Amino acid sequence: MAKTPLHGPLTGVRVVELAGIGPGPFAAMLLADLGADVVRVDRPGGPGLAIDPAYDVTNRNKRSVLVDLKSPDGAARVLDLAARADILIEGYRPGVAERLGVGPEDCRARNPRLVYGRMTGWGQDGPLAQRAGHDIGYIALTGTLGMIGAPGEPPPAPANLLGDYAGGSLYLVVGVLAALHHARATGTGQVVDAAIVDGTSHLAAMIHGMLAAGGWQDQRAANLLDGGCPYYGTYETADGKYMAVGALEPQFYDTFLDLLGLDGYADARKDWARWGELREAVTARFKSRTREEWTAVFEDSDACVAPVLTLREAPHHPHLAARGTFTDHGGITQPAPAPRFSATPTSVRSGPAQPGADTADVARDWDAPDLMKGHES
């Protein structure tokens, strides 16, 4: 009998994703990248994200079924999937899944081993739990947004990477995998409450420790890692592009000064009184050459200096190209699955799942024939 092909360390794990936008789909993509059989339950009309589903790479490596949860038998179809799943992920406001008949109690009545992952911004309880929100508001409240940017200027919006994906998706994935380990050891599933405010706060654990110890000032651009330090930051080049500098350790700092062509600043590394002067000198030097020229100067050194690349430039960098950090699938250049595994390699197996396209296959593979009600086979 043919062996089931291995697509990653989560091969054989079944995941139900109730369609949403942002951190939930990204978390489910990560599980799918790691080999899980992820079935996305799309709703008629789509989730409201203004992107052609054919380009939504957060739905790669998944399969999609179409279920109207507001129809009389919609909840029953989802519960049939939950009964056969290891993990379910939903990103509704608290109480919505319950009202739709697919909340934790309903699902776990059918499957006590189920890990029920809940992805929200504010969490399942607390004064703001029922409020609408987005990444920027969540990270604002946790103090993390307030660490970013120049003093006297509004903090910049760091796309939705810090809140939605780092503080949200990644913590949800860690949580459901930990709960899955527990469920397999004990036979009992549980609910995982992944709130972006919790995860984003947790990301700043080291900073809170430094703050308590007196080693971090609670203001922007006043510290070693937040742009306050002249040898840890970004500088404009002659062609209007940028270089990133992270020459923190003494030996890297010395190499940085040497290659930059600056004399007389060896002692300025620890002399805060000279940081303004040092920054001016570094700024002037970087403005004297193009990004390409400076890249050539630093690329074979341990000065910890790198060019700031655009999204389109990054896949062509020799190091990322050599590692295959990006891949092309279906005409779309996209990040390859990460991290990497020696025994169970991962890959982009399929492009973005098209809403409802896999209903028949999932009904067969998961032995859930009722999924086909209302669908033409």
Side-chain angles (χ1 to χ4, degrees):
M1 191 173 182
K3 293 177 66 176
T4 302
L6 291 176
H7 297 305
L10 294 185
T11 295
V13 173
R14 286 180 169 177
V15 179
V16 175
E17 173 200 353
L18 302 187
I21 60 174
F26 185 85
M29 180 204 75
L30 182 48
L31 294 170
D33 282 355
L34 296 178
D37 180 6
V38 176
V39 171
R40 177 177 165 94
V41 180
D42 278 299
R43 53 183 178 268
L49 185 63
I51 181 175
D52 183 338
Y55 291 93
D56 188 355
V57 297
T58 65
N59 284 329
R60 71 187 185 191
N61 288 339
K62 303 177 182 178
R63 299 193 286 180
S64 170
V65 301
L66 212 57
V67 176
D68 182 359
L69 271 168
K70 294 182 178 179
S71 69
D73 61 349
R77 295 187 200 177
V78 170
L79 292 176
D80 277 351
L81 292 174
R84 295 158 172 80
D86 300 289
I87 296 168
L88 182 145
I89 289 174
E90 62 92 3
Y92 301 129
R93 288 198 210 184
V96 171
E98 284 85 346
R99 289 198 296 274
L100 291 171
V102 293
E105 296 302 319
D106 296 304
C107 289
R108 296 185 61 232
R110 294 283 301 275
N111 181 1
R113 301 172 66 93
L114 182 70
V115 171
Y116 194 102
R118 315 199 79 169
M119 182 75 261
T120 59
W122 304 118
Q124 295 299 312
D125 53 48
L128 294 177
Q130 292 297 329
R131 298 280 71 81
H134 282 293
D135 175 294
I136 198 163
Y138 309 139
I139 67 175
L141 216 64
T142 62
T144 47
L145 178 60
M147 294 194 298
I148 304 170
E153 297 179 9
N160 67 330
L161 303 178
L162 179 55
D164 279 353
Y165 296 145
S169 304
L170 298 186
Y171 279 85
L172 177 61
V173 169
V174 169
V176 297
L177 291 181
L180 178 63
H181 175 76
H182 173 264
R184 290 187 165 177
T186 66
T188 304
Q190 60 184 303
V191 178
V192 178
D193 174 4
I196 294 172
V197 291
D198 295 346
T200 309
S201 297
H202 193 263
L203 287 170
M206 181 191 77
I207 305 296
H208 279 281
M210 294 171 69
L211 184 66
W216 188 275
Q217 297 184 64
D218 198 9
Q219 54 186 331
R220 279 179 285 142
N223 301 281
L224 193 64
L225 303 174
D226 65 356
C229 172
Y231 46 91
Y232 195 91
T234 55
Y235 291 91
E236 188 176 358
T237 55
D239 53 347
K241 298 178 181 178
Y242 299 90
M243 297 294 289
V245 177
L248 291 176
E249 291 80 3
Q251 67 273 30
F252 304 151
Y253 176 78
D254 291 343
T255 301
F256 167 64
L257 291 183
D258 181 54
L259 292 175
L260 196 62
L262 283 182
D263 296 321
Y265 290 94
D267 295 334
R269 178 175 165 272
K270 284 194 169 184
D271 187 353
W272 289 5
R274 297 190 64 193
W275 275 13
E277 173 193 351
L278 174 60
R279 186 184 302 280
E280 289 181 8
V282 172
T283 299
R285 287 296 295 145
F286 272 118
K287 285 283 283 185
S288 70
R289 299 187 191 180
T290 65
R291 187 188 69 178
E292 186 176 354
E293 289 172 326
W294 283 121
T295 298
V297 167
F298 287 106
E299 65 182 350
D300 292 324
S301 76
D302 276 345
C304 301
V305 177
V308 178
L309 303 182
T310 67
L311 290 173
R312 293 193 186 278
E313 289 174 327
H316 303 289
H317 186 276
H319 179 78
L320 303 184
R323 281 184 60 80
T325 298
F326 291 85
T327 188
D328 290 300
H329 190 280
I332 302 174
T333 299
Q334 56 197 281
R340 304 180 187 201
F341 300 85
S342 61
T344 54
T346 57
S347 66
V348 179
R349 307 181 300 280
S350 61
Q354 299 304 292
D358 308 293
T359 303
D361 288 342
V362 172
R364 180 194 66 235
D365 296 346
W366 285 42
D367 190 23
D370 285 352
L371 274 179
M372 293 304 296
K373 286 182 179 177
H375 293 267
E376 291 188 12
S377 52

